[in-house]
Amino acid sequence: MKYIIALVLLIGSFSTQGVPIPASTLYRSPMMSQVTFTPDGQYISALIVEEGKSYISLIDTRDKEYQHIGSFNSDERLSGYSWIDNETLYISYLWRGEVRSVLLKLSQQEGKFTSELVKLPDDSYLVDPLIDEPGYILFAKNRYKGRPSNQLYKLTIQQLVDKDFDKASLLEHKLKDVVYFGWDDIRRVLFAVTVDIEAMKGEVLYRELTELRWKTLFEITDKKMQFSPVGFIGDEKLAVLSNEHTDKIALYEFDIASQKLGKVIYEHPKYDLVDAQVNIAGNGVSAVTYVENGQHVSQFLDNSTTDTDSLIARHFKGKEGVISAYAKDNRHQVLFVYASNDPGSYYLYDRQADRVELLTELNPELMAYELSETKVFSVESAPGVDVEGYLTLPNQKSRNGVLLVMPHGGPIGIRDYNYFNNDTQYFTSRGFTVLRVNFRGSQGYGKSFLNSGKGEFGKAIEQDITAAVNHVSKQHTFEKMCAMGASYGGYSALMLAIKHPDDYQCAIGAYGIYDLPLLFNGSNYKVLEEYRKTVSEVVGELSDDLLQYSPVYLADKIKAPVLLIAGKEDRIADFEHSQRMQYVLEKQNKSVEHLYYDRTAHGQNTWYWQQHENAYVADYLKRTLALKEYHEMSGVKPELAHLLGDDLATIADGYNFKNKVENSPSQALAYYRQAALAGDGRSAYNYGVKLVYKGKQLLKETQGEETKELMGVDDSQEGARLVAEGISWAEKGSALGYASASHWLGKIYDQGEHVTQDLAKAVDFYNAAVEQGYDARALLRMGKVYCLAEDELKDVQRCTELLALSKLADLPKKEQKNAVTEDSRSLLRWVIGQLYAHGHFDAQETQLIQDLVKQEYGVSLAQVALDDVEIGAVEYSRYYKKYRVYDKDKRFSASPSLELGMVFGVEPQKGVDEQRKVAVIAKWIKVDDKGRKEIVQSDLLWGSADEDNWNTRISFKEKELFKGKLTVELSDLNNNLLATRTLDIL
């Protein structure tokens, strides 16, 4: 068991002030989420992320010890869970996009929990655990696969475990085409959502549990609309999830008497809401849930209760907080406390003692950084129109004199909050001042203010933003300004640069709309009358007037450099918007850069790509505004600099690998170099390897030819220089602790490729790789050097110790510093083959190697004989499920498609059990037409003597083809020659 609080105290060994925060530290899953209590209140349960893996865990309210009771693989995501009783947990999760559910049955002995998973039927779900009726639950199960046919059951836990629905109480089976059953625990009311697919309509119904007659709550006539009741928030009001008036599913008030949706309680600017919770008093909403980067995230809403406000004020001065979970006896509560400069922390509150205890920070790693506080202000934009703004200033020492104006998306019904904001902290930590404005149309300031933003694209909205900019510019001095935003914010960023061309030194538009008429005809869906009506209400009627407020048609007014970011699968702001904007800017010779993502819609959906996008934006700002390197800012220590280098490495990776960004070798090389200069070891290695590859290509092109000179540069000399420089960079990567660099350098000096062979140096690098945590291959290669060295470095005892993979694999996982992988197991066979092919050992040394082979493969040293030996061209026979010789000719024309081989049988010495495993060494030796001899391949073959698929094979790449003779020799572990055959290669 572990202590939650210990995770907070053991954060990092360095403290920083006013220095850049790495993207990987900010953009990550919260350490704790989905918090609740067990029914008896003795434990807190939560989803905990630890070392990149997710667990459901229990935290003891008495001593704060925690233990994991369930885990999720990388392709599984927790959707939600509910306690049925103290020993039974219902879990719903996504597996590769499919909804699945299980029961987790717990048992406890001496304080330790063990768990058992019970898989539940597909297409079924828990409606409610009925806490007030112990032993019973409400459960829904679809009757027919592929169509809505939910039936509602009341059954015992054991009946659910046994999947015995025949004995359960069937509460509702007459209601047709039910897609959803819901339950309001406070007022004890059932909800049902039905659909009539042929009529393309649906109904939301409700009734008390003891009644039989359903009442109509709401009729759904729009096939695209969703409507899901959450619960009552008043006698005549419901909280519902719907997208009737919004692009995304938002949380609304619903008035039962008028049958109309009221105000929006909460709408996320980027994501659909998937759930919401009514507070314990049944008069408001305590939290909403959405999926961000594959994780369900809860946003706690202020319930404005005096008791909670008083509690937070007493214990957390200057911060806000909500009660995120209640124990049944109401003695214990879990508080979530946050601020604009605090991502939030979970505390356990004991009402009886009026005491709070920290459980964990949401992001403990941020404790090492200074986070910026946001100041709220109000400014009059027009007579009688006040707008609220949020200004976040960086540390005084790190300020770079740049104001980032960041309009929010929407624009109607969305708003910025004075909560912790990842993007704000990312850029303020780099010296930028960040301004966010709740302009006209923003939600939360009344219906009149919201409606006043409609049809004001490029007009009143940008007027409000500019009023806020002017206000803060009077209070603070800025040398430069840049506008940046996403969705509507991307449009606004470019419009600000158009309307105020001398004020902005750059504009960054992400996932933006730049051609307003295109909103009405960008796709078949967008020409439908219902869609056009909605767009007209927000943007304005389709007319030539829209051209006056479309950046595509105003590009000539832009002076500032522009960065366009877009997703090629965006259906909200079609990719065509960005392409048109790029085209007109390029046609007018404007400075424009673009970052387009494949397989991406209206924004990023993983933490990694959020890191990538913001790292790129930060680099763009640095380059465009001629700012200093972030890792060179005041107060950045070397141990932090390499983390900042990781931001640049993330950009380089985007250009280097097959992913969402188009590959660019030159860009990858440039960014790896920058990251290496910042102290990132992996980038130093990547940069070095790429230089070596370029150098080898030049050397290959000049090999065997007269030296070529281009502009006075000798190609062969340039190739050698690049190789040397590349190795030097790889050595920096090794010195910075990157294990792959050390392993690669060990191989370079071991093989003597483009460097003078230096086995002692090879051992040093292999040893560094071992210490840096490289897998067991580093041990094996180091062992090979010790066995095959021909000087005082030779140490067969040490060699065989390093090659003993089985002993390493037997160690507990925590003690396995160098993991035993399938690659390392394959390499061991190759190494043993090398020892038999190239080693010179005395009797004692030979015995050590033989003992090693016996230990690793369980083979006998008994003498063997071969039979049925055939050699020639081979192929795999699917019918016989083994390799066979299909051409027994002894002369073959060299070709990369040719695979040669020998197949044979093994006959152990008489009297030896044939089930015992035996081993054979196969050596392939070539003698070219000039008489030069070389062992080109050496393999350890092992298995049961009665196997009938013994074979050794070889093929050659184009550059390895030769003319001459090719001989295969088979020997036993005692070096007795068993068979030899020779082929002519033409």
Side-chain angles (χ1 to χ4, degrees):
M1 293 198 292
K2 307 174 185 178
Y3 290 92
I4 278 283
I5 206 160
L7 295 170
V8 178
L9 300 177
L10 296 175
I11 298 299
S13 58
F14 61 92
S15 178
T16 63
Q17 291 187 341
V19 297
I21 304 173
S24 57
T25 300
L26 262 173
Y27 300 95
R28 52 177 295 175
S29 297
M31 180 178 171
M32 181 186 285
S33 61
Q34 302 201 44
V35 180
T36 189
F37 283 91
T38 54
D40 63 7
Q42 185 175 339
Y43 293 92
I44 300 164
S45 60
L47 180 70
I48 288 181
V49 176
E50 193 175 85
E51 297 180 354
K53 192 167 183 178
S54 299
Y55 303 88
I56 289 183
S57 306
L58 293 182
I59 307 160
D60 196 315
T61 57
R62 295 162 297 187
D63 56 18
K64 316 308 172 296
E65 284 188 349
Y66 77 101
Q67 53 185 306
H68 302 318
I69 58 172
S71 63
F72 297 91
N73 297 323
S74 59
D75 57 355
E76 297 172 339
R77 293 287 182 270
L78 175 67
S79 299
Y81 69 93
S82 300
W83 285 99
I84 295 176
D85 58 28
N86 290 312
E87 291 80 36
T88 313
L89 190 62
Y90 170 83
I91 299 172
S92 174
Y93 66 98
L94 291 174
W95 178 80
R96 298 179 181 177
E98 296 181 7
V99 179
R100 297 194 172 182
S101 57
V102 295
L103 288 182
L104 191 71
K105 298 288 292 180
L106 296 176
S107 57
Q108 186 181 20
Q109 188 172 7
E110 297 180 356
K112 292 187 178 182
F113 286 96
T114 56
S115 59
E116 175 190 0
L117 283 178
V118 178
K119 188 177 183 303
L120 296 178
D122 292 338
D123 212 2
S124 66
Y125 59 94
L126 177 73
V127 176
D128 195 82
L130 293 179
I131 298 297
D132 294 334
E133 296 187 52
Y136 288 92
I137 61 173
L138 292 179
F139 196 81
K141 186 167 74 77
N142 217 34
R143 186 177 180 186
Y144 303 113
K145 189 173 183 180
R147 55 165 288 191
S149 55
N150 276 297
Q151 294 181 316
L152 182 65
Y153 295 85
K154 183 177 181 181
L155 70 170
T156 66
I157 299 169
Q158 190 58 49
Q159 285 170 339
L160 181 58
V161 170
D162 296 337
K163 303 177 184 62
D164 190 356
F165 291 93
D166 291 337
K167 294 181 181 178
S169 175
L170 185 55
L171 294 184
E172 182 55 63
H173 65 283
K174 294 181 179 180
L175 201 60
K176 294 182 179 180
D177 302 325
V178 180
V179 294
Y180 168 79
F181 282 112
W183 171 253
D184 185 314
D185 187 54
I186 298 170
R187 286 175 170 77
R188 300 186 67 76
V189 171
L190 272 174
F191 296 101
V193 180
T194 66
V195 296
D196 184 336
I197 296 176
E198 293 181 359
M200 299 306 294
K201 69 176 185 179
E203 284 186 310
V204 180
L205 310 170
Y206 72 104
R207 69 171 171 86
E208 293 183 9
L209 189 60
T210 55
E211 292 182 349
L212 296 177
R213 189 173 64 87
W214 290 91
K215 303 172 187 176
T216 300
L217 184 68
F218 186 74
E219 189 172 282
I220 304 170
T221 56
D222 185 348
K223 64 181 179 180
K224 300 179 183 66
M225 192 181 79
Q226 297 195 31
F227 189 101
S228 301
V230 173
F232 283 92
I233 51 175
D235 291 337
E236 291 295 325
K237 285 187 178 180
L238 278 177
V240 300
L241 295 172
S242 177
N243 61 350
E244 182 178 9
H245 302 310
T246 49
D247 173 70
K248 291 169 287 296
I249 298 172
L251 185 67
Y252 289 84
E253 281 187 357
F254 177 73
D255 185 80
I256 297 175
S258 67
Q259 290 285 289
K260 290 183 178 180
L261 291 175
K263 73 175 184 178
V264 176
I265 300 172
Y266 183 89
E267 180 185 6
H268 195 282
K270 291 176 64 178
Y271 307 114
D272 286 325
L273 299 186
V274 297
D275 197 9
Q277 293 81 45
V278 173
N279 63 30
I280 196 168
N283 60 6
V285 176
S286 61
V288 294
T289 304
Y290 51 89
V291 178
E292 181 177 39
N293 302 317
Q295 298 284 349
H296 282 67
V297 177
S298 293
Q299 173 71 59
F300 298 106
L301 306 181
D302 186 6
N303 56 18
S304 299
T305 59
T306 304
D307 289 347
T308 304
D309 291 345
S310 174
L311 168 61
I312 300 301
R314 284 200 314 274
H315 293 282
F316 307 99
K317 186 177 180 180
K319 296 194 176 183
E320 296 183 66
V322 294
I323 300 172
S324 66
Y326 296 82
K328 190 174 182 180
D329 62 6
N330 210 25
R331 172 179 174 176
H332 288 108
Q333 300 170 350
V334 173
L335 308 179
F336 181 70
V337 180
Y338 57 93
S340 63
N341 59 346
D342 179 357
S345 305
Y346 283 102
Y347 290 84
L348 178 63
Y349 174 59
D350 185 330
R351 285 171 56 89
Q352 186 174 311
D354 191 29
R355 182 180 68 245
V356 294
E357 295 179 85
L358 177 66
L359 292 173
T360 183
E361 300 275 348
L362 210 63
N363 186 345
E365 290 186 15
L366 284 179
M367 291 180 65
Y369 297 89
E370 179 181 345
L371 301 173
S372 300
E373 184 179 2
T374 296
K375 301 295 184 182
V376 183
F377 67 90
S378 181
V379 62
E380 187 177 57
S381 171
V385 179
D386 291 331
V387 296
E388 189 172 76
Y390 303 122
L391 185 68
T392 312
L393 294 166
N395 177 280
Q396 183 68 39
K397 292 181 180 179
S398 65
R399 292 184 187 180
N400 59 19
V402 179
L403 174 65
L404 291 184
V405 182
M406 297 175 60
H408 66 66
I412 308 302
I414 304 296
R415 61 163 296 164
D416 274 318
Y417 293 88
N418 189 24
Y419 298 155
F420 182 86
N421 182 282
N422 286 334
D423 294 343
T424 297
Q425 297 297 332
Y426 184 76
F427 289 106
T428 54
S429 74
R430 282 156 176 73
F432 297 93
T433 299
V434 174
L435 172 64
R436 297 173 294 143
V437 183
N438 280 332
F439 43 73
R440 273 173 273 190
S442 299
Q443 184 257 340
Y445 301 92
K447 185 177 290 187
S448 177
F449 187 84
L450 184 144
N451 289 332
S452 67
K454 294 179 178 179
E456 294 297 328
F457 276 52
K459 293 177 278 189
I461 292 176
E462 277 60 50
Q463 177 184 330
D464 292 348
I465 296 170
T466 300
V469 170
N470 293 337
H471 175 78
V472 300
S473 295
K474 291 176 183 177
Q475 299 175 327
H476 306 277
T477 301
F478 302 106
E479 299 169 10
K480 298 174 182 176
M481 287 202 310
C482 185
M484 59 180 287
S487 194
Y488 178 84
Y491 163 88
S492 183
L494 265 67
M495 284 303 298
L496 289 169
I498 288 167
K499 296 172 77 71
H500 308 281
D502 296 323
D503 294 340
Y504 289 89
Q505 282 66 53
C506 71
I508 301 172
Y511 314 98
I513 48 173
Y514 309 116
D515 188 343
L516 297 186
L518 185 62
L519 286 173
F520 293 86
N521 54 26
S523 66
N524 291 337
Y525 169 65
K526 292 183 177 181
V527 301
L528 297 177
E529 182 59 33
E530 56 185 319
Y531 176 84
R532 292 164 71 96
K533 183 179 178 181
T534 302
V535 173
S536 296
E537 183 181 4
V538 175
V539 178
E541 294 295 331
L542 176 60
S543 69
D544 289 344
D545 291 344
L546 294 181
L547 302 181
Q548 301 176 41
Y549 304 100
S550 295
V552 162
Y553 304 100
L554 304 171
D556 61 311
K557 299 183 180 343
I558 296 178
K559 290 183 179 180
V562 172
L563 169 63
L564 298 172
I565 301 172
K568 294 182 181 179
E569 297 180 7
D570 197 337
R571 297 296 177 262
I572 296 174
D574 295 302
F575 181 42
E576 178 72 13
H577 284 277
S578 296
Q579 289 181 302
R580 291 186 180 191
M581 195 72 238
Q582 178 190 346
Y583 175 79
V584 296
L585 287 170
E586 289 177 343
K587 288 290 285 185
Q588 297 183 31
N589 295 316
K590 304 288 186 179
S591 174
V592 58
E593 196 170 305
H594 68 272
L595 178 62
Y596 297 154
Y597 290 99
D598 294 324
R599 305 184 304 282
T600 302
H602 199 57
Q604 304 296 352
N605 60 2
T606 66
W607 291 120
Y608 176 83
W609 288 109
Q610 283 194 29
Q611 295 169 21
H612 181 276
E613 184 175 315
N614 282 282
Y616 190 95
V617 169
D619 182 70
Y620 175 81
L621 290 168
K622 175 184 66 68
R623 289 185 283 110
T624 304
L625 303 177
L627 306 174
K628 68 164 63 174
E629 298 285 348
Y630 299 123
H631 66 271
E632 294 176 350
M633 289 174 61
S634 174
V636 178
K637 300 176 182 179
E639 58 266 39
L640 176 61
H642 84 87
L643 294 176
L644 297 175
D646 187 59
D647 280 16
L648 295 166
T650 299
I651 303 173
D653 290 342
Y655 288 120
N656 191 41
F657 301 112
K658 290 183 179 180
N659 46 42
K660 292 186 176 185
V661 180
E662 185 177 354
N663 280 10
S664 171
S666 61
Q667 288 279 63
L669 197 66
Y671 277 108
Y672 278 136
R673 186 176 191 278
Q674 288 185 54
L677 290 171
D680 182 64
R682 182 175 71 89
S683 295
Y685 166 66
N686 286 348
Y687 182 60
V689 169
K690 287 182 176 294
L691 289 181
V692 169
Y693 177 78
K694 288 179 67 175
K696 288 170 68 175
Q697 287 296 104
L698 278 177
L699 290 171
K700 178 182 177 182
E701 291 170 6
T702 59
Q703 194 172 21
E705 302 177 9
E706 291 185 9
T707 300
K708 299 178 181 178
E709 288 196 8
L710 180 63
M711 298 180 65
V713 178
D714 186 317
D715 281 358
S716 62
Q717 290 182 0
E718 176 65 6
R721 186 194 69 78
L722 286 172
V723 169
E725 184 182 356
I727 291 173
S728 175
W729 277 102
E731 289 177 344
K732 290 178 184 177
S734 172
L736 288 167
Y738 189 58
S740 291
S742 301
H743 182 255
W744 183 80
L745 286 163
K747 291 170 62 178
I748 289 290
Y749 284 102
D750 184 357
Q751 297 165 4
E753 184 179 8
H754 299 298
V755 296
T756 302
Q757 186 182 44
D758 188 331
L759 295 182
K761 208 167 187 178
V763 166
D764 288 341
F765 280 117
Y766 285 142
N767 194 58
V770 169
E771 292 302 313
Q772 292 159 355
Y774 199 78
D775 66 44
R777 287 175 292 175
L779 294 166
L780 301 180
R781 291 190 181 278
M782 182 160 48
K784 179 182 76 70
V785 173
Y786 280 124
C787 265
L788 297 181
E790 296 181 354
D791 52 20
E792 65 275 6
L793 193 61
K794 184 176 183 180
D795 186 339
V796 178
Q797 177 71 45
R798 176 66 176 142
C799 163
T800 52
E801 290 171 356
L802 292 169
L803 300 184
L805 278 189
S806 59
K807 291 184 178 179
L808 180 59
D810 287 342
L811 291 174
K813 287 290 184 184
K814 291 182 179 180
E815 296 180 28
Q816 287 185 26
K817 185 175 182 179
N818 310 104
V820 177
T821 63
E822 287 303 313
D823 286 340
S824 56
R825 295 184 192 279
S826 296
L827 182 64
L828 178 59
R829 292 178 61 186
W830 177 83
V831 169
I832 292 172
Q834 292 295 297
L835 302 191
Y836 274 92
H838 303 284
H840 304 285
F841 307 110
D842 60 27
Q844 185 177 359
E845 292 168 339
T846 299
Q847 186 65 52
L848 287 171
I849 294 171
Q850 289 176 336
D851 289 344
L852 170 76
V853 179
K854 288 168 60 179
Q855 170 187 294
E856 296 301 311
Y857 299 102
V859 298
S860 168
L861 292 179
Q863 187 175 345
V864 298
L866 305 185
D867 57 16
D868 300 326
V869 178
E870 294 182 343
I871 191 170
V874 295
E875 65 179 4
Y876 184 76
S877 170
R878 293 187 177 181
Y879 180 79
Y880 291 105
K881 296 183 179 180
K882 63 180 182 179
Y883 281 92
R884 69 182 188 88
V885 177
Y886 69 88
D887 187 347
K888 300 180 182 179
D889 194 358
K890 299 298 186 287
R891 297 162 62 87
F892 293 93
S893 297
S895 167
S897 62
L898 178 66
E899 185 173 26
L900 300 172
M902 178 186 285
V903 297
F904 55 94
V906 175
E907 188 70 32
Q909 186 180 26
K910 189 175 181 180
V912 175
D913 183 356
E914 292 190 5
Q915 297 303 314
R916 293 285 301 277
K917 293 179 180 178
V918 295
V920 174
I921 302 294
K923 288 190 289 188
W924 291 85
I925 306 161
K926 79 170 185 180
V927 179
D928 65 20
D929 54 4
K930 294 182 180 179
R932 291 174 296 199
K933 185 176 181 180
E934 178 186 358
I935 300 175
V936 291
Q937 184 172 304
S938 181
D939 302 318
L940 169 70
L941 311 176
W942 66 282
S944 297
D946 59 353
E947 287 183 6
D948 62 352
N949 193 29
W950 286 83
N951 67 87
T952 177
R953 308 181 308 280
I954 195 169
S955 59
F956 295 96
K957 298 178 183 177
E958 185 74 42
K959 63 181 179 180
E960 299 170 337
L961 297 178
F962 72 100
K963 293 180 180 180
K965 294 187 180 295
L966 184 63
T967 300
V968 59
E969 294 181 354
L970 298 180
S971 306
D972 63 17
L973 296 180
N974 296 302
N975 289 314
N976 297 310
L977 185 62
L978 303 175
T980 180
R981 300 288 189 276
T982 299
L983 302 173
D984 290 321
I985 307 299
L986 306 179

